[in-house]
Amino acid sequence: MTSAAAEQRKQIKQLMGNHEHRSRYDHGKGYNQGIYKTELHDPRICKSFLVGDCPYDLFAGTKQSIGRCPQIHLTKHKLKYEQDVRNEGKRYPEFEREYLMVLSKFVSECDRQVAIAMKKLEHTPEERARIQQITSELDNIDTKIGLMIQEIDVLIHGNEIAKALIQTRNLEQLKQDRKIVAKKVRNITENVGQSAQQKLQVCEVCGAYLSRLDTDRRLADHFLGKVHLGYVRMREQYSYYKQRLGR
């Protein structure tokens, strides 16, 4: 037995406890080798798998794979749940609430990643440095204007009118310089990031970067990809059960 298999067996043993009956995870493939008698309410059974789609399964085999679900996925449990709901008219609101909590976690994290990705497209480090430089220049001019106004007041109160007039002309020139710098600030903040944004955009469903220069085929590959469709499914289920449970 390999170390990986031994570790997996250890994890399953810990999960299952010291019960007499054991079971393998079949994850819908039907190779259960034991008899595992349990009710659907058993906390070891994955409620996301019963109610909808377990996120672990949605991203299996992709670059966003999160490994294997630590809870039990058995086809017979899912069939029992579906039969109860469809034919018996039963409801398991506690399962739905648990599923909604799981979905909420993944959707919220994805939304956070989308926001971060969009923020990164706003300004590159070079652009942020340019903005900081030009705004610092504007701050310096504002400081000089404030000091010069105070100086002119002192000169007027000291009856040094000639010097006050000279400084007043200097103040007007400084104000004109400020207008020029302020215009540069507006232009930079309005235009920076356009080159990046013209090439890239963020998929608001899954958070991936998309290039506007990609071919239709490449874009189609993204929208039909397992990761994107996984988030589509989660968002649909999240909206459905959020409304269903009145949250």
Side-chain angles (χ1 to χ4, degrees):
M1 182 181 294
T2 65
S3 59
E7 180 62 26
Q8 186 180 56
R9 185 178 180 84
K10 179 181 177 183
Q11 291 176 354
I12 293 176
K13 185 176 180 180
Q14 291 174 344
L15 178 68
M16 301 293 284
N18 294 319
H19 293 266
E20 178 181 355
H21 300 289
R22 302 298 189 210
S23 169
R24 295 181 185 272
Y25 288 12
D26 72 351
H27 285 265
K29 296 181 180 178
Y31 52 80
N32 178 40
Q33 300 296 324
I35 301 174
Y36 185 77
K37 297 180 180 179
T38 184
E39 296 294 330
L40 295 184
H41 288 84
D42 191 305
R44 292 167 294 185
I45 296 176
C46 178
K47 303 309 184 289
S48 297
F49 173 72
L50 296 183
V51 180
D53 300 280
C54 176
Y56 286 86
D57 290 343
L58 287 175
F59 300 123
T62 72
K63 62 182 180 180
Q64 292 198 23
S65 173
I66 51 179
R68 198 171 206 177
C69 180
Q71 294 180 298
I72 298 172
H73 289 201
L74 288 178
T75 302
K76 66 176 183 179
H77 294 152
K78 190 173 184 70
L79 292 176
K80 176 65 167 63
Y81 173 82
E82 291 176 347
Q83 181 181 10
D84 286 352
V85 173
R86 182 173 58 250
N87 299 331
E88 304 296 331
K90 294 183 180 179
R91 277 203 63 189
Y92 294 85
E94 67 274 34
F95 292 5
E96 295 176 358
R97 284 193 293 270
E98 184 173 332
Y99 183 39
L100 180 62
M101 288 177 61
V102 172
L103 291 172
S104 177
K105 173 185 174 183
F106 279 89
V107 170
S108 297
E109 176 61 21
C110 184
D111 287 343
R112 189 180 74 84
Q113 294 299 328
V114 169
I116 291 174
M118 287 184 169
K119 191 70 176 177
K120 287 181 178 179
L121 284 186
E122 289 181 3
H123 305 306
T124 65
E126 293 78 11
E127 290 168 340
R128 285 196 292 270
R130 287 174 58 197
I131 293 174
Q132 184 177 3
Q133 179 183 357
I134 197 69
T135 52
S136 294
E137 185 178 346
L138 187 62
D139 289 341
N140 289 336
I141 292 178
D142 286 339
T143 300
K144 290 180 180 179
I145 289 175
L147 292 174
M148 192 168 289
I149 290 174
Q150 292 179 9
E151 183 183 353
I152 292 172
D153 287 341
V154 171
L155 291 172
I156 292 174
H157 283 90
N159 206 28
E160 298 186 61
I161 305 302
K163 290 182 178 180
L165 288 174
I166 294 174
Q167 287 299 79
T168 299
R169 287 193 291 268
N170 291 336
L171 176 62
E172 291 302 316
Q173 181 60 52
L174 203 55
K175 288 181 178 179
Q176 292 300 318
D177 293 342
R178 188 193 186 283
K179 289 181 181 179
I180 296 173
V181 174
K183 185 177 180 180
K184 288 181 181 180
V185 171
R186 286 195 300 271
N187 290 338
I188 289 176
T189 54
E190 289 173 0
N191 295 326
V192 293
Q194 284 189 359
S195 59
Q197 291 171 4
Q198 286 170 357
K199 296 178 183 178
L200 292 176
Q201 63 185 38
V202 179
C203 177
E204 296 187 27
V205 172
C206 67
Y209 285 110
L210 301 176
S211 173
R212 291 188 174 93
L213 304 180
D214 277 344
T215 62
D216 291 342
R217 175 62 183 275
R218 286 181 62 86
L219 291 174
D221 286 344
H222 167 78
F223 292 117
L224 295 176
K226 190 172 181 178
V227 171
H228 180 84
L229 291 179
Y231 277 109
V232 169
R233 175 65 174 168
M234 280 202 297
R235 290 182 182 279
E236 289 175 348
Q237 293 282 286
Y238 176 69
S239 297
Y240 172 78
Y241 283 103
K242 187 176 180 181
Q243 181 177 7
R244 179 180 174 89
L245 297 171
R247 294 196 175 187

